Amino acid sequence: MRIPLVAASVCITVGLAMSGTAGAEAASAETAKPSAAAKIAAPPAVLTKNKIYRSGTPSPQSCAAPDITRGSTASLKIFHRAMARCADRFWAARFRAAGMRYTPPKVTITTGGNSVCGKITNNGAQYCPVQRTVVIRIMKRDLRDPFRMNIAHSAAHEWGHHVQELTGILDTQNRLYWRARGQARTILSHRLEMQAECFAGLFYSATLDSINAGITWDQWTDAVSRGTESKAHGKPRNLAYWQNRGYNGGSARYCNTWTASNARVA
């Protein structure tokens, strides 16, 4: 998804041919009573009662994100590595709070077009679940205009998918996805991506001040809401909604995309 900021763009993608799932124990009235069409028949407990939703509210955390030098691949790699370390610290704490074990993903940062799970999309970042690897491709546009929030979002979003993998959400969704057909598959894809966006918002709720994003949170979510719609990710306004829900809710329990109406994840 490309964010329509002046001279800046972000791409949010997961390198999967499927989608994923999540559930929270506490949700707003909007998500607590889904329509019949939005429900998964007898949803597995891993989607609706996952321990990650009981991981509490994070304390503020410094990402120690360094400056980026325009045109410098080395500088971008250093920034991405700093964001990776910050994401690992954040989620390790949340997993401990939930009584679970966190293991960091492998991280590949490249300027090439291939990864351990195939061709990297033009969007520049993907998560490879089998290898538990986050792959980030440094794009020419990042070198031309290294907008910090766009670049930071590569880590924020893809670590959301890693959390889904570690908690069993991604595997469960994968099984549901391959049993589904047509529009049902699309909705499953959206629920995965919306939850990763919500997890990103939760990460930002503790770290945004230290990222020195160069943009306010309201400006960022407004830009997200005006992005380009994609079949896999859904409507930009819904992506912005779920990011904002994680950020303002300050807990993974607000990231239950699986009890939301179809309209909320369209």
Side-chain angles (χ1 to χ4, degrees), residues 112-211:
N114 296 312
S115 76
V116 293
C117 61
K119 185 176 176 61
I120 304 173
T121 69
N122 290 333
N123 290 324
Q126 62 187 23
Y127 180 67
C128 303
V130 174
Q131 299 84 0
R132 293 190 172 181
T133 298
V134 171
V135 181
I136 297 171
R137 182 184 185 184
I138 293 176
M139 309 295 286
K140 289 182 180 179
R141 61 174 174 263
D142 298 329
L143 292 166
R144 290 193 303 266
D145 181 32
F147 189 74
R148 292 172 68 87
M149 189 64 174
N150 279 345
I151 297 167
H153 201 67
S154 295
H157 180 85
E158 302 308 334
W159 257 259
H161 288 307
H162 184 58
V163 169
Q164 291 169 327
E165 170 65 18
L166 293 181
T167 55
I169 290 170
L170 195 52
D171 285 346
T172 300
Q173 179 277 333
N174 190 24
R175 290 192 295 271
L176 293 171
Y177 180 88
W178 290 111
R179 293 171 188 164
R181 294 291 182 272
Q183 183 63 17
R185 279 191 171 187
T186 299
I187 292 296
L188 285 166
S189 175
H190 292 177
R191 292 186 191 280
L192 173 70
E193 298 299 337
M194 301 288 177
Q195 188 187 37
E197 289 294 273
C198 188
F199 284 160
L202 175 59
F203 170 73
Y204 293 137
S205 74
T207 63
L208 187 63
D209 288 345
S210 70
I211 293 173

XYZ file of all heavy atoms in Angstrom, residues 112-211:
797
model
N 18.464 -6.475 -3.566
C 18.108 -7.381 -4.645
C 16.631 -7.689 -4.686
O 15.843 -7.187 -3.886
N 16.252 -8.558 -5.636
C 14.841 -8.838 -5.851
C 14.368 -10.193 -5.388
O 13.197 -10.536 -5.573
N 15.253 -10.986 -4.775
C 14.879 -12.329 -4.343
C 15.092 -12.498 -2.852
O 15.921 -11.817 -2.239
C 15.692 -13.385 -5.105
C 15.401 -13.379 -6.588
O 14.247 -13.365 -6.988
N 16.444 -13.358 -7.409
N 14.338 -13.427 -2.277
C 14.436 -13.686 -0.847
C 14.389 -15.183 -0.604
O 14.282 -15.976 -1.534
C 13.269 -13.018 -0.105
O 12.066 -13.753 -0.289
N 14.439 -15.568 0.675
C 14.407 -16.994 1.023
C 13.073 -17.630 0.682
O 12.967 -18.855 0.648
C 14.713 -17.202 2.523
C 16.139 -16.817 2.828
C 13.720 -16.431 3.398
N 12.045 -16.828 0.428
C 10.747 -17.411 0.061
C 10.264 -16.912 -1.294
O 9.068 -16.850 -1.560
C 9.694 -17.161 1.147
S 9.336 -15.435 1.505
N 11.202 -16.559 -2.151
C 10.820 -16.209 -3.510
C 11.064 -14.759 -3.853
O 11.757 -14.024 -3.147
N 10.480 -14.339 -4.940
C 10.665 -12.984 -5.448
C 10.060 -11.963 -4.500
O 8.938 -12.141 -4.009
C 10.018 -12.856 -6.834
C 10.246 -11.505 -7.513
C 9.661 -11.510 -8.913
C 9.785 -10.145 -9.562
N 11.198 -9.733 -9.702
N 10.808 -10.902 -4.228
C 10.304 -9.815 -3.396
C 9.410 -8.932 -4.249
O 9.760 -8.584 -5.388
C 11.458 -8.981 -2.813
C 12.430 -9.867 -2.031
C 10.917 -7.872 -1.914
C 13.675 -9.141 -1.569
N 8.279 -8.568 -3.722
C 7.362 -7.709 -4.465
C 7.946 -6.314 -4.605
O 8.887 -5.931 -3.915
C 6.011 -7.597 -3.742
O 6.202 -6.845 -2.532
C 5.452 -8.961 -3.410
N 7.356 -5.536 -5.485
C 7.790 -4.144 -5.665
C 7.590 -3.315 -4.417
O 8.128 -2.224 -4.290
C 7.041 -3.506 -6.842
C 7.471 -4.074 -8.177
O 8.591 -4.538 -8.324
N 6.572 -4.039 -9.152
N 6.772 -3.828 -3.475
C 6.499 -3.070 -2.259
C 7.636 -3.124 -1.255
O 7.656 -2.365 -0.306
C 5.211 -3.580 -1.610
C 3.998 -3.210 -2.437
O 3.958 -2.150 -3.036
N 3.024 -4.089 -2.486
N 8.560 -4.064 -1.414
C 9.811 -3.968 -0.692
C 9.922 -4.639 0.654
O 11.003 -4.655 1.221
N 8.872 -5.205 1.212
C 8.990 -5.903 2.486
C 8.054 -7.099 2.503
O 6.944 -7.026 1.982
C 8.668 -4.966 3.656
N 8.498 -8.182 3.081
C 7.648 -9.358 3.167
C 8.079 -10.226 4.339
O 9.201 -10.115 4.834
C 7.683 -10.170 1.872
C 9.042 -10.728 1.498
C 9.033 -11.372 0.121
O 8.192 -11.072 -0.726
N 9.972 -12.269 -0.114
N 7.153 -11.056 4.790
C 7.435 -12.001 5.859
C 7.339 -13.410 5.300
O 6.364 -13.771 4.638
C 6.440 -11.842 7.014
C 6.702 -12.804 8.152
C 7.855 -12.691 8.914
C 5.818 -13.843 8.432
C 8.116 -13.587 9.942
C 6.079 -14.741 9.463
C 7.234 -14.608 10.215
O 7.501 -15.497 11.226
N 8.367 -14.211 5.563
C 8.419 -15.595 5.112
C 8.158 -16.495 6.310
O 9.054 -16.695 7.142
C 9.781 -15.901 4.500
S 10.242 -14.823 3.126
N 6.943 -17.027 6.458
C 6.586 -17.742 7.694
C 7.331 -19.049 7.900
O 7.671 -19.390 9.031
C 5.074 -17.961 7.559
C 4.809 -17.866 6.097
C 5.792 -16.906 5.541
N 7.568 -19.808 6.837
C 8.254 -21.088 6.990
C 9.662 -20.859 7.532
O 10.127 -21.560 8.437
C 8.306 -21.844 5.652
C 9.148 -23.107 5.784
C 6.888 -22.205 5.198
N 10.327 -19.855 7.014
C 11.684 -19.533 7.449
C 11.715 -18.577 8.638
O 12.789 -18.278 9.167
C 12.474 -18.917 6.296
C 12.634 -19.818 5.090
C 11.423 -19.758 4.151
O 10.450 -19.037 4.400
N 11.478 -20.495 3.056
N 10.542 -18.072 9.026
C 10.428 -17.071 10.093
C 11.425 -15.947 9.856
O 12.231 -15.586 10.720
C 10.611 -17.712 11.473
C 9.471 -18.671 11.817
C 9.477 -19.136 13.254
N 8.269 -19.896 13.543
C 7.977 -20.417 14.735
N 8.804 -20.247 15.754
N 6.855 -21.094 14.913
N 11.321 -15.369 8.684
C 12.266 -14.349 8.244
C 11.530 -13.113 7.748
O 10.598 -13.219 6.957
C 13.153 -14.891 7.109
O 13.906 -16.002 7.600
C 14.106 -13.820 6.589
N 11.953 -11.953 8.233
C 11.496 -10.678 7.700
C 12.495 -10.250 6.640
O 13.701 -10.183 6.893
C 11.404 -9.605 8.799
C 11.146 -8.234 8.187
C 10.301 -9.950 9.799
N 11.990 -9.996 5.443
C 12.833 -9.570 4.330
C 12.476 -8.130 3.978
O 11.316 -7.821 3.710
C 12.642 -10.477 3.108
C 13.556 -10.024 1.963
C 12.928 -11.931 3.460
N 13.468 -7.272 3.991
C 13.253 -5.870 3.648
C 14.145 -5.521 2.470
O 15.366 -5.705 2.519
C 13.575 -4.949 4.834
C 12.622 -5.243 6.006
C 13.464 -3.477 4.422
C 12.986 -4.539 7.286
N 13.518 -5.059 1.415
C 14.259 -4.635 0.224
C 14.354 -3.117 0.220
O 13.344 -2.421 0.289
C 13.549 -5.125 -1.037
C 14.274 -4.767 -2.331
C 13.454 -5.200 -3.529
N 14.171 -4.969 -4.779
C 13.649 -5.181 -5.989
N 12.389 -5.607 -6.087
N 14.358 -4.958 -7.069
N 15.569 -2.609 0.180
C 15.767 -1.165 0.096
C 15.470 -0.736 -1.340
O 16.110 -1.185 -2.287
C 17.197 -0.783 0.495
C 17.410 -1.084 1.984
C 17.467 0.697 0.209
C 18.824 -0.844 2.465
N 14.480 0.121 -1.469
C 14.022 0.564 -2.783
C 14.683 1.885 -3.161
O 15.124 2.662 -2.299
C 12.501 0.733 -2.769
C 11.734 -0.478 -2.231
S 11.910 -1.943 -3.261
C 10.867 -1.492 -4.650
N 14.718 2.174 -4.443
C 15.318 3.419 -4.908
C 14.592 4.628 -4.329
O 15.216 5.650 -4.034
C 15.296 3.461 -6.435
C 16.273 2.497 -7.086
C 16.250 2.615 -8.596
C 17.246 1.646 -9.240
N 17.213 1.727 -10.727
N 13.283 4.497 -4.170
C 12.527 5.627 -3.620
C 12.920 5.916 -2.174
O 12.845 7.049 -1.714
C 11.022 5.370 -3.724
C 10.524 4.157 -2.965
C 9.002 4.066 -3.009
N 8.526 2.837 -2.397
C 8.205 1.740 -3.075
N 8.323 1.717 -4.387
N 7.776 0.659 -2.449
N 13.321 4.861 -1.427
C 13.783 5.071 -0.060
C 15.102 5.834 -0.036
O 15.355 6.640 0.864
C 13.964 3.729 0.650
C 12.666 2.948 0.757
O 11.599 3.586 0.850
O 12.719 1.701 0.737
N 15.952 5.556 -1.008
C 17.229 6.265 -1.108
C 17.008 7.718 -1.508
O 17.665 8.626 -0.987
C 18.140 5.571 -2.119
C 18.655 4.189 -1.701
C 19.244 3.455 -2.897
C 19.687 4.313 -0.585
N 16.043 7.948 -2.430
C 15.764 9.309 -2.871
C 15.112 10.129 -1.775
O 15.407 11.312 -1.608
C 14.850 9.288 -4.109
C 15.495 8.785 -5.386
C 14.606 9.113 -6.581
N 13.255 8.555 -6.421
C 12.882 7.373 -6.901
N 13.756 6.616 -7.558
N 11.651 6.936 -6.734
N 14.196 9.507 -1.045
C 13.431 10.238 -0.028
C 13.242 9.338 1.188
O 12.209 8.681 1.328
C 12.074 10.668 -0.593
C 11.262 11.443 0.431
O 11.868 12.144 1.258
O 10.028 11.313 0.414
N 14.216 9.290 2.072
C 14.156 8.376 3.230
C 13.229 8.906 4.327
O 13.679 9.334 5.398
C 15.611 8.317 3.685
C 16.189 9.637 3.284
C 15.505 10.014 2.001
N 11.924 8.866 4.067
C 10.945 9.347 5.048
C 10.845 8.325 6.180
O 10.499 7.166 5.976
C 9.589 9.555 4.385
C 8.595 10.236 5.274
C 8.701 11.592 5.532
C 7.581 9.518 5.879
C 7.785 12.226 6.369
C 6.672 10.139 6.718
C 6.775 11.495 6.963
N 11.157 8.747 7.389
C 11.404 7.830 8.501
C 10.192 6.963 8.846
O 10.327 5.767 9.099
C 11.860 8.617 9.738
C 13.227 9.239 9.584
C 13.547 10.156 10.742
N 13.718 9.435 11.983
C 14.863 8.903 12.397
N 15.941 8.981 11.633
N 14.944 8.292 13.567
N 9.003 7.547 8.853
C 7.837 6.770 9.251
C 7.528 5.687 8.224
O 7.166 4.559 8.571
C 6.630 7.690 9.438
C 5.424 6.999 10.074
S 5.774 6.454 11.778
C 4.142 5.876 12.257
N 7.669 6.011 6.960
C 7.464 4.997 5.930
C 8.430 3.834 6.108
O 8.053 2.660 6.008
C 7.672 5.607 4.543
C 6.458 6.374 4.047
O 5.370 6.245 4.579
N 6.667 7.187 3.025
N 9.684 4.159 6.352
C 10.709 3.124 6.470
C 10.524 2.330 7.752
O 10.656 1.102 7.766
C 12.101 3.764 6.375
C 12.280 4.403 4.990
C 13.200 2.735 6.629
C 13.480 5.316 4.871
N 10.185 3.002 8.833
C 9.955 2.312 10.106
C 8.798 1.326 10.006
O 8.790 0.292 10.677
C 9.670 3.332 11.208
N 7.840 1.629 9.140
C 6.653 0.778 9.065
C 6.957 -0.603 8.488
O 6.205 -1.543 8.704
C 5.558 1.458 8.236
C 4.198 0.923 8.522
N 3.565 1.090 9.735
C 3.347 0.185 7.760
C 2.387 0.489 9.709
N 2.227 -0.071 8.518
N 8.069 -0.728 7.781
C 8.475 -2.053 7.303
C 8.637 -3.008 8.479
O 8.199 -4.161 8.421
C 9.790 -1.958 6.521
O 9.635 -1.206 5.355
N 9.274 -2.528 9.542
C 9.442 -3.361 10.733
C 8.125 -3.514 11.478
O 7.727 -4.622 11.849
C 10.504 -2.763 11.655
N 7.423 -2.414 11.700
C 6.207 -2.457 12.510
C 5.192 -3.444 11.949
O 4.593 -4.236 12.690
C 5.601 -1.058 12.604
N 4.983 -3.430 10.647
C 3.984 -4.295 10.034
C 4.457 -5.739 9.943
O 3.730 -6.667 10.297
C 3.631 -3.777 8.635
C 2.609 -4.605 7.927
N 1.253 -4.433 8.104
C 2.744 -5.627 7.046
C 0.595 -5.307 7.358
N 1.477 -6.051 6.708
N 5.679 -5.944 9.469
C 6.146 -7.323 9.282
C 6.347 -8.042 10.610
O 6.144 -9.257 10.689
C 7.431 -7.350 8.453
C 7.324 -6.711 7.073
C 6.162 -7.224 6.231
O 5.702 -8.373 6.437
O 5.698 -6.473 5.356
N 6.709 -7.326 11.667
C 6.777 -7.976 12.990
C 5.384 -8.370 13.465
O 5.230 -9.323 14.212
C 7.469 -7.067 14.003
C 8.879 -7.502 14.260
C 9.340 -8.219 15.351
C 10.014 -7.283 13.425
N 10.688 -8.453 15.230
C 11.130 -7.892 14.047
C 10.217 -6.654 12.202
C 12.407 -7.870 13.502
C 11.474 -6.623 11.653
C 12.551 -7.228 12.299
N 4.365 -7.648 13.003
C 3.004 -8.073 13.310
C 2.729 -9.456 12.745
O 2.102 -10.299 13.392
N 3.208 -9.723 11.543
C 3.047 -11.055 10.953
C 3.877 -12.097 11.702
O 3.449 -13.252 11.845
C 3.435 -11.027 9.481
C 2.453 -10.312 8.610
N 1.111 -10.625 8.596
C 2.618 -9.289 7.733
C 0.489 -9.836 7.738
N 1.377 -9.009 7.207
N 5.042 -11.701 12.184
C 5.853 -12.646 12.961
C 5.132 -13.018 14.254
O 5.134 -14.189 14.664
C 7.214 -12.036 13.260
C 8.149 -12.958 13.971
N 8.529 -14.185 13.457
C 8.777 -12.846 15.186
C 9.367 -14.780 14.307
N 9.526 -13.995 15.354
N 4.500 -12.058 14.883
C 3.703 -12.338 16.083
C 2.585 -13.321 15.747
O 2.318 -14.267 16.493
C 3.138 -11.031 16.678
C 2.104 -11.326 17.761
C 4.263 -10.174 17.235
N 1.927 -13.110 14.635
C 0.880 -14.041 14.199
C 1.436 -15.451 14.007
O 0.778 -16.442 14.327
C 0.240 -13.531 12.908
C -0.584 -12.273 13.089
C -0.973 -11.641 11.762
O -0.217 -11.715 10.782
N -2.138 -11.010 11.716
N 2.636 -15.553 13.465
C 3.251 -16.861 13.256
C 3.590 -17.532 14.592
O 3.274 -18.704 14.807
C 4.528 -16.695 12.414
C 5.390 -17.935 12.312
C 4.732 -19.098 11.583
O 3.750 -18.882 10.847
O 5.200 -20.232 11.760
N 4.191 -16.798 15.514
C 4.616 -17.384 16.786
C 3.429 -17.812 17.645
O 3.537 -18.762 18.435
C 5.470 -16.386 17.574
C 6.841 -16.023 17.001
C 7.537 -15.036 17.925
C 7.700 -17.263 16.789
N 2.318 -17.127 17.521
C 1.154 -17.409 18.358
C 0.206 -18.439 17.745
O -0.814 -18.773 18.351
C 0.364 -16.116 18.624
O 0.013 -15.505 17.377
C 1.176 -15.132 19.463
N 0.526 -18.941 16.574
C -0.319 -19.938 15.930
C -1.443 -19.364 15.113
O -2.201 -20.112 14.472
N -1.567 -18.055 15.109
C -2.644 -17.405 14.369
C -2.473 -17.607 12.868
O -3.421 -17.922 12.149
C -2.688 -15.906 14.717
C -3.177 -15.720 16.160
C -3.569 -15.138 13.748
C -3.031 -14.308 16.674
N -1.254 -17.437 12.390
C -1.003 -17.505 10.958
C -1.245 -18.905 10.404
O -1.870 -19.062 9.348
C 0.431 -17.064 10.675
C 0.795 -16.714 9.230
C -0.176 -15.719 8.631
C 2.218 -16.165 9.181
N -0.796 -19.928 11.105
C -1.010 -21.300 10.636
C -2.500 -21.640 10.598
O -2.986 -22.290 9.672
C -0.279 -22.297 11.526
C 1.222 -22.306 11.275
O 1.656 -21.744 10.253
O 1.957 -22.865 12.108
N -3.220 -21.199 11.630
C -4.653 -21.471 11.684
C -5.378 -20.765 10.550
O -6.239 -21.348 9.876
C -5.230 -21.021 13.037
O -4.564 -21.735 14.082
C -6.721 -21.298 13.115
N -5.020 -19.521 10.316
C -5.633 -18.785 9.214
C -5.319 -19.438 7.869
O -6.158 -19.490 6.975
C -5.136 -17.347 9.226
C -5.702 -16.485 8.106
C -4.938 -16.668 6.800
O -3.766 -17.015 6.811
N -5.616 -16.437 5.689
N -4.102 -19.922 7.739
C -3.697 -20.550 6.490
C -4.602 -21.735 6.156
O -5.033 -21.920 5.016
C -2.241 -21.002 6.599
C -1.656 -21.441 5.275
O -2.113 -21.032 4.212
N -0.638 -22.286 5.340
N -4.902 -22.545 7.168
C -5.794 -23.689 6.939
C -7.183 -23.212 6.523
O -7.810 -23.787 5.622
C -5.870 -24.548 8.208
C -4.582 -25.305 8.497
C -4.783 -26.349 9.571
N -5.108 -25.766 10.861
C -4.189 -25.394 11.765
N -2.889 -25.522 11.483
N -4.540 -24.900 12.922
N -7.673 -22.172 7.192
C -8.982 -21.634 6.836
C -8.981 -21.066 5.418
O -9.935 -21.242 4.660
C -9.384 -20.538 7.828
C -9.672 -20.974 9.267
C -9.829 -19.751 10.147
C -10.916 -21.852 9.327
N -7.888 -20.415 5.080
C -7.788 -19.781 3.773
C -7.890 -20.803 2.641
O -8.620 -20.598 1.671
C -6.466 -19.026 3.687
C -6.243 -18.325 2.369
C -6.709 -17.033 2.165
C -5.563 -18.956 1.327
C -6.502 -16.387 0.962
C -5.356 -18.316 0.117
C -5.828 -17.022 -0.064
O -5.624 -16.397 -1.262
N -7.159 -21.902 2.775
C -7.154 -22.871 1.679
C -8.434 -23.681 1.597
O -8.717 -24.301 0.572
C -5.928 -23.779 1.798
C -4.681 -23.016 1.483
C -3.686 -22.665 2.353
C -4.306 -22.462 0.218
N -2.720 -21.924 1.714
C -3.076 -21.787 0.400
C -4.897 -22.465 -1.044
C -2.427 -21.126 -0.639
C -4.230 -21.797 -2.077
C -3.018 -21.146 -1.874
N -9.249 -23.646 2.634
C -10.560 -24.280 2.566
C -11.603 -23.342 1.971
O -12.673 -23.781 1.550
C -11.021 -24.693 3.969
C -10.187 -25.796 4.605
C -10.594 -25.954 6.047
N -9.699 -26.857 6.775
C -9.638 -26.948 8.104
N -10.432 -26.190 8.849
N -8.792 -27.779 8.674
N -11.318 -22.050 1.997
C -12.279 -21.043 1.557
C -12.202 -20.836 0.044
O -11.274 -21.303 -0.621
C -12.024 -19.729 2.285
N -13.174 -20.114 -0.472
C -13.228 -19.814 -1.895
C -13.661 -18.362 -2.083
O -14.362 -17.793 -1.253
C -14.228 -20.732 -2.617
C -13.843 -22.200 -2.627
C -12.619 -22.459 -3.495
N -12.269 -23.872 -3.556
C -11.465 -24.479 -2.694
N -10.941 -23.797 -1.682
N -11.183 -25.761 -2.827
N -13.219 -17.778 -3.201
C -13.714 -16.486 -3.627
C -13.580 -15.378 -2.589
O -12.513 -15.152 -2.029
N -14.700 -14.691 -2.347
C -14.708 -13.545 -1.458
C -14.318 -13.925 -0.040
O -13.717 -13.112 0.680
C -16.094 -12.884 -1.461
C -16.196 -11.617 -0.622
C -15.299 -10.495 -1.127
O -14.828 -10.531 -2.270
N -15.071 -9.494 -0.288
N -14.624 -15.138 0.373
C -14.255 -15.569 1.719
C -12.741 -15.545 1.898
O -12.229 -15.181 2.968
C -14.798 -16.972 1.999
N -12.005 -15.918 0.866
C -10.544 -15.850 0.919
C -10.073 -14.400 1.046
O -9.145 -14.094 1.802
C -9.923 -16.475 -0.327
C -9.837 -17.987 -0.291
C -8.979 -18.492 -1.432
N -8.703 -19.911 -1.302
C -7.872 -20.586 -2.086
N -7.251 -19.949 -3.071
N -7.662 -21.870 -1.898
N -10.701 -13.525 0.285
C -10.317 -12.119 0.330
C -10.496 -11.552 1.726
O -9.627 -10.833 2.244
C -11.145 -11.310 -0.682
O -10.896 -11.815 -2.000
C -10.772 -9.837 -0.636
N -11.620 -11.881 2.353
C -11.881 -11.384 3.704
C -10.856 -11.932 4.689
O -10.378 -11.224 5.587
C -13.313 -11.736 4.143
C -14.332 -10.944 3.313
C -13.526 -11.463 5.622
C -14.255 -9.442 3.499
N -10.487 -13.197 4.534
C -9.461 -13.774 5.402
C -8.128 -13.052 5.229
O -7.409 -12.795 6.209
C -9.301 -15.266 5.105
C -10.419 -16.173 5.628
C -10.334 -17.551 4.984
C -10.341 -16.305 7.140
N -7.797 -12.722 4.004
C -6.580 -11.961 3.739
C -6.631 -10.608 4.434
O -5.668 -10.183 5.086
C -6.399 -11.775 2.232
O -5.301 -10.951 1.954
N -7.766 -9.941 4.321
C -7.899 -8.632 4.938
C -7.781 -8.719 6.455
O -7.162 -7.863 7.082
C -9.252 -8.013 4.582
C -9.371 -7.649 3.137
N -10.540 -7.140 2.593
C -8.481 -7.712 2.111
C -10.359 -6.914 1.300
N -9.114 -7.258 0.986
N -8.373 -9.730 7.045
C -8.321 -9.847 8.507
C -6.880 -10.030 8.996
O -6.494 -9.498 10.033
C -9.225 -10.990 8.980
C -10.709 -10.711 8.768
C -11.589 -11.789 9.383
N -12.970 -11.630 8.954
C -13.847 -10.757 9.465
N -13.464 -9.941 10.435
N -15.081 -10.695 9.005
N -6.094 -10.759 8.237
C -4.680 -10.905 8.575
C -3.961 -9.563 8.521
O -3.266 -9.161 9.452
C -4.011 -11.868 7.611
C -2.483 -11.974 7.771
C -2.129 -12.664 9.062
C -1.868 -12.690 6.594
N -4.129 -8.858 7.399
C -3.412 -7.611 7.206
C -3.880 -6.532 8.172
O -3.074 -5.755 8.692
C -3.564 -7.139 5.755
C -2.991 -8.098 4.724
C -1.501 -8.331 4.889
O -0.804 -7.472 5.475
O -1.022 -9.384 4.427
N -5.180 -6.480 8.431
C -5.694 -5.489 9.376
C -5.136 -5.748 10.776
O -4.812 -4.812 11.515
C -7.234 -5.525 9.409
C -7.930 -5.267 8.081
S -7.847 -3.559 7.536
C -8.668 -3.681 5.929
N -4.998 -7.018 11.145
C -4.453 -7.287 12.471
C -2.977 -6.897 12.552
O -2.533 -6.343 13.559
C -4.604 -8.746 12.863
C -4.204 -8.930 14.327
C -4.161 -10.366 14.765
O -3.770 -11.239 14.006
N -4.555 -10.603 15.994
N -2.227 -7.172 11.488
C -0.820 -6.753 11.481
C -0.719 -5.237 11.605
O 0.184 -4.714 12.265
C -0.133 -7.241 10.208
N -1.649 -4.511 10.979
C -1.676 -3.057 11.116
C -2.005 -2.635 12.547
O -1.440 -1.677 13.072
C -2.689 -2.452 10.146
C -2.271 -2.515 8.696
C -1.052 -1.657 8.428
O -1.211 -0.454 8.153
O 0.071 -2.191 8.490
N -2.915 -3.350 13.176
C -3.266 -3.044 14.562
C -2.078 -3.311 15.484
O -1.776 -2.520 16.385
C -4.477 -3.877 14.976
S -5.168 -3.425 16.582
N -1.379 -4.425 15.261
C -0.179 -4.710 16.043
C 0.879 -3.626 15.822
O 1.614 -3.264 16.748
C 0.384 -6.080 15.666
C -0.375 -7.249 16.246
C -0.258 -8.507 15.685
C -1.205 -7.100 17.345
C -0.935 -9.602 16.207
C -1.900 -8.178 17.879
C -1.764 -9.432 17.317
N 0.977 -3.116 14.588
C 1.903 -2.016 14.316
C 1.508 -0.780 15.123
O 2.360 -0.102 15.701
C 1.918 -1.695 12.821
N 0.207 -0.488 15.153
C -0.256 0.646 15.941
C 0.069 0.487 17.422
O 0.449 1.449 18.098
N -0.067 -0.730 17.931
C 0.288 -1.003 19.320
C 1.775 -0.746 19.547
O 2.164 -0.131 20.551
C -0.066 -2.450 19.659
C 0.353 -2.955 21.044
C -0.271 -2.120 22.151
C -0.014 -4.428 21.197
N 2.613 -1.204 18.637
C 4.050 -0.954 18.717
C 4.330 0.550 18.753
O 5.114 1.039 19.583
C 4.730 -1.615 17.520
C 6.174 -1.250 17.330
C 7.152 -1.748 18.180
C 6.561 -0.429 16.283
C 8.496 -1.424 17.993
C 7.895 -0.106 16.084
C 8.862 -0.605 16.946
N 3.665 1.298 17.889
C 3.872 2.751 17.866
C 3.401 3.423 19.147
O 3.942 4.464 19.539
C 3.118 3.375 16.685
C 3.647 2.998 15.323
C 2.756 2.674 14.294
C 5.005 2.986 15.043
C 3.215 2.340 13.030
C 5.468 2.651 13.780
C 4.575 2.326 12.785
O 5.030 1.991 11.532
N 2.408 2.857 19.807
C 1.898 3.482 21.031
C 2.983 3.589 22.093
O 2.921 4.461 22.967
C 0.699 2.686 21.574
O 1.114 1.463 22.188
N 3.981 2.723 22.023
C 5.070 2.741 22.997
C 6.347 3.366 22.457
O 7.211 3.762 23.241
C 5.369 1.314 23.466
N 6.481 3.456 21.139
C 7.779 3.807 20.553
C 7.786 5.039 19.661
O 8.864 5.520 19.289
C 8.314 2.622 19.706
O 7.408 2.390 18.615
C 8.453 1.363 20.551
N 6.628 5.565 19.305
C 6.569 6.582 18.255
C 7.427 7.802 18.566
O 8.113 8.329 17.684
C 5.123 7.021 18.012
C 4.913 7.957 16.821
C 5.299 7.268 15.516
C 3.470 8.443 16.761
N 7.417 8.261 19.806
C 8.177 9.465 20.149
C 9.665 9.301 19.850
O 10.327 10.241 19.414
C 7.983 9.816 21.626
C 6.594 10.366 21.916
O 5.893 10.731 20.954
O 6.223 10.428 23.104
N 10.183 8.099 20.063
C 11.620 7.884 19.869
C 11.997 7.654 18.412
O 13.175 7.718 18.055
C 12.086 6.690 20.709
O 11.569 5.477 20.196
N 11.019 7.390 17.563
C 11.308 7.165 16.140
C 11.587 8.479 15.422
O 12.242 8.510 14.379
C 10.136 6.408 15.477
C 10.044 4.983 16.042
C 10.287 6.342 13.953
C 8.819 4.207 15.577
